[in-house]
Amino acid sequence: MCIAWLNFRALAPAWTMWTADEIAHLCYEHYRISLTKKGKPEPNREWTLLAAVVKIQPTADQTYDSPDKPVQVTKEVVSMGTGTKCIGRSKMRKSGDILNDSHAEVIARRSFQRYLLHQLHLVAALKQDSIFVPGTQRGLWKLRPDLLFVFFSSHTPCGDASIIPMLAFEDQPCYPVSAEWASNISVEDSDKLEATKDKRKCEDLDSRVTKKMRLEPETPAGEVANGVAHHKSFGNQESGPVTPNVSSSTLDSEELAAITEMAPVGAKVVDVYRTGAKCVPGEAGDSGKPGAAYHQVGLLRVKPGRGDRTCSMSCSDKLARWNILGCQGALLMHFLEEPIYLSAVVIGKCPYSQEAMQRALIGRCQNVSALPKGFGVQEVKIQQSDLLFEQSRSAVQAKRADSPGRLVPCGADLESAKWNSLDHSRSF
């Protein structure tokens, strides 16, 4: 049996057994069909983000005697979470009775840990079939070699992975519109916009609504219709705003190097998608300059709060940590012979950069050293799906069109933790 498992791994790498769209579709269907309405966004008024962990294993009674033979696998959602909230520092409790970070990725990983604990209980205490098998050391367990886990998120994780180059032909984060600009000043002069105002208007990703750009009375309505200004700001990780083009000619080569290398050959980088995650104390910090040099890439960041700084690391940083230390956590590691790593990460349809994801999850961690035996930076496979989450901000915004009322993040995200932590003794 072990020989068959090893052959399965050798002949069928993780990324050849499934597609990104298959993973996304499975997660969306599980969310839509298998979960109750309680904790989900109110239709046409609320939105949320989704994350999940999918188990992949070969179907029974297969032989792996040829690398050209298709491998049949089963895909199963074993954990799922939704959420966009994170509490500020002042609301944290020493008693531990408040969940600090409720972003979808974190909720999904917590649920995955519960699934792992349950599977360990099955094999160690109840002597039942499980995803774990005995390790080489007495009393320790390890994951069955024929199993793989894929992490799915409906949107690019907040933090470093969300700092994505924006090309001249793409939508760009909005800048404040002044009477001077509305009087048709040149694009080259747009770098005179105040950086502090840029930050307030463009960086706030924790806004509860899609803010409308305040146009001066002199701004012709036709300019708005033609894309000179747009009502969307880049908020809470999701949107496709349009703004006046900002020339990158005023930026020096060093400032542009990290951003430009992510763009297609010959394409002009004029700006970057913004992240609301703040640099941790001690880091160099963002320049706040208009245009492509607004952010420094590769830095550790904490999630934004509503007027109260948080102590929770960004989802980009947490995914990078899991890619080095595993997803099992310190408690479960006492009973395991080796950490449990994700084989792949799949992102849903949204603003996305393969290079930014690679940098955030793998590239910036290459110098991590002095790790215990069995731990190390993993070459996790990263892919994007073309399927949009139906309750994402952009999808809900498109459906509601000119509907009255504000579009807000789901107020019941914390309630969703009740079904994110379902009893995993039953199959999903």
Side-chain angles (χ1 to χ4, degrees):
M1 184 66 71
C2 289
I3 294 177
W5 288 344
L6 294 176
N7 285 341
F8 166 76
R9 284 287 182 97
L11 297 178
W15 52 91
T16 65
M17 298 180 292
W18 47 265
T19 66
D21 284 351
E22 288 174 349
I23 297 296
H25 178 74
L26 178 68
C27 294
Y28 295 158
E29 284 296 292
H30 179 77
Y31 174 84
R32 185 175 63 86
I33 297 174
S34 302
L35 303 180
T36 63
K37 292 183 178 180
K38 192 171 185 180
K40 292 182 179 180
E42 181 181 328
N44 297 322
R45 197 184 78 85
E46 295 180 327
W47 60 275
T48 193
L49 301 179
L50 173 74
V53 176
V54 178
K55 180 182 72 173
I56 296 179
Q57 66 182 121
T59 56
D61 302 324
Q62 286 191 84
T63 58
Y64 312 108
D65 52 2
S66 171
D68 298 326
K69 183 178 180 179
V71 178
Q72 301 298 320
V73 298
T74 60
K75 299 179 288 292
E76 178 186 9
V77 177
V78 296
S79 75
M80 180 168 283
T82 63
T84 61
K85 307 292 196 309
C86 185
I87 68 169
R89 184 176 356 187
S90 63
K91 295 182 180 179
M92 297 177 68
R93 300 277 285 273
K94 293 182 179 180
S95 59
D97 57 350
I98 292 181
L99 193 60
N100 298 335
D101 190 344
S102 295
H103 279 214
E105 296 94 328
V106 177
I107 295 294
R109 187 253 186 167
R110 290 172 67 93
S111 182
F112 182 50
Q113 287 179 312
R114 186 178 186 274
Y115 167 79
L116 295 175
L117 286 167
H118 175 72
Q119 289 292 316
L120 184 62
H121 176 71
L122 285 179
V123 68
L126 304 180
K127 310 301 180 184
Q128 297 180 13
D129 188 35
S130 167
I131 65 171
F132 292 111
V133 294
T136 57
Q137 300 181 51
R138 182 181 175 86
L140 296 182
W141 305 84
K142 63 181 180 180
L143 189 67
R144 280 172 46 183
D146 63 333
L147 298 182
L148 303 172
F149 291 106
V150 176
F151 190 89
F152 174 78
S153 176
S154 63
H155 200 274
T156 305
C158 64
D160 195 57
S162 290
I163 303 176
I164 302 170
M166 189 170 291
L167 308 182
F169 54 83
E170 293 181 318
D171 297 341
Q172 298 144 36
C174 71
Y175 287 84
V177 180
S178 64
E180 181 185 16
W181 180 81
S183 298
N184 295 318
I185 65 169
S186 66
V187 171
E188 288 72 17
D189 290 336
S190 62
D191 62 350
K192 297 178 181 179
L193 297 173
E194 297 178 22
T196 54
K197 291 184 180 180
D198 294 343
K199 188 171 184 178
R200 286 198 300 270
K201 295 292 184 181
C202 304
E203 188 187 14
D204 183 13
L205 300 192
D206 207 38
S207 171
R208 292 180 60 85
V209 300
T210 302
K211 295 182 179 179
K212 291 190 175 182
M213 180 177 282
R214 297 178 180 178
L215 299 177
E216 297 291 340
E218 297 84 1
T219 305
E223 290 186 3
V224 179
N226 291 329
V228 176
H230 198 277
H231 73 278
K232 290 183 181 179
S233 66
F234 187 64
N236 217 320
Q237 305 183 47
E238 284 197 76
S239 73
V242 178
T243 61
N245 197 352
V246 178
S247 173
S248 59
S249 60
T250 59
L251 306 176
D252 60 48
S253 58
E254 291 184 2
E255 291 173 325
L256 279 174
I259 296 297
T260 305
E261 66 182 11
M262 295 188 292
V265 177
K268 182 180 180 182
V269 176
V270 296
D271 212 321
V272 290
Y273 284 99
R274 308 286 166 82
T275 176
K278 314 295 183 183
C279 297
V280 299
E283 289 280 17
D286 293 320
S287 70
K289 296 180 180 179
Y294 185 89
H295 282 306
Q296 293 279 356
V297 298
L299 303 183
L300 298 175
R301 298 173 180 271
V302 294
K303 291 183 170 80
R306 293 182 175 83
D308 185 12
R309 194 181 184 98
T310 77
C311 293
S312 298
M313 299 302 293
S314 72
C315 288
S316 292
D317 297 332
K318 291 189 175 184
L319 278 164
R321 178 181 179 180
W322 304 339
N323 195 43
I324 300 174
L325 302 179
C327 293
Q328 72 288 329
L331 176 61
L332 192 57
M333 197 62 216
H334 285 292
F335 308 98
L336 297 180
E337 194 170 79
E338 54 192 29
I340 297 176
Y341 290 112
L342 300 168
S343 294
V345 173
V346 175
I347 304 298
K349 187 175 182 180
C350 64
Y352 176 87
S353 166
Q354 183 72 23
E355 291 77 11
M357 286 290 297
Q358 201 80 16
R359 176 195 68 226
L361 272 59
I362 304 173
R364 60 181 178 150
C365 304
Q366 293 300 324
N367 292 329
V368 175
S369 59
L371 294 169
K373 183 180 179 181
F375 293 87
V377 180
Q378 305 298 301
E379 290 295 326
V380 62
K381 187 71 175 181
I382 303 173
Q383 294 187 355
Q384 186 186 26
S385 167
D386 288 328
L387 302 183
L388 181 67
F389 180 41
E390 63 181 9
Q391 292 190 318
S392 66
R393 181 173 182 172
S394 57
V396 175
Q397 181 69 52
K399 289 179 183 178
R400 70 194 307 266
D402 297 325
S403 301
R406 303 185 303 179
L407 178 63
V408 298
C410 179
D413 277 336
L414 293 180
E415 184 71 25
S416 75
K418 293 182 179 178
W419 47 252
N420 291 333
S421 298
L422 289 172
D423 183 353
H424 291 293
S425 61
R426 68 179 179 85
S427 177
F428 283 165

